[in-house]
Amino acid sequence: MMQIEEKSNVTGFALFELGFRPFFSVAGLFAVIGMLLWMNLYFSFMQSPIPSLEPVIWHAHEMIFGYAMAVVAGFLLTAVGNWTGIPTWRGKNLATLLALWFLARIAWFIPDAYSLYLSATCDVLFLLGLIT
């Protein structure tokens, strides 16, 4: 017999109660914004903030670590909890994970020699946070 649980009151901001909410939202937004940025770089309407970085490298990295990892994170943070019964991150922890993802995306546009290191560090911390 199917047992339906009573609805529980959400204590925090609802966006950060389930993993798919913030990550699927930012994946959709990033797909549009990333495509607009890529077209501007590709057609030379704007210059890359890091002159030594080829726009194709940025595009390839962001499609994997930006868009795809946001979708994977949203899926894993929702599905793993359903599969295992172990609650996944929510609230402040989920917001911190999203902030790491976001900081890695905008670090590319900081005109500094260390911006790539910041982006890589945030990406690694994001992935480590996702698997814990």
Side-chain angles (χ1 to χ4, degrees), residues 52-71:
S52 63
L53 181 69
E54 292 290 325
V56 172
I57 301 294
W58 172 80
H59 175 69
H61 179 272
E62 291 305 306
M63 289 301 99
I64 296 169
F65 290 99
Y67 176 73
M69 285 313 299
V71 172

Side-chain angles (χ1 to χ4, degrees), residues 51-115:
S52 63
L53 181 69
E54 292 290 325
V56 172
I57 301 294
W58 172 80
H59 175 69
H61 179 272
E62 291 305 306
M63 289 301 99
I64 296 169
F65 290 99
Y67 176 73
M69 285 313 299
V71 172
V72 168
F75 173 76
L76 288 178
L77 289 171
T78 304
V80 169
N82 291 336
W83 292 338
T84 63
I86 299 170
T88 57
W89 285 15
R90 58 181 4 150
K92 290 180 184 178
N93 290 335
L94 185 59
T96 302
L97 198 61
L98 182 67
L100 282 170
W101 178 89
F102 184 72
L103 185 57
R105 307 291 64 86
I106 62 171
W108 287 81
F109 296 99
I110 300 170
D112 185 28
Y114 298 106
S115 63

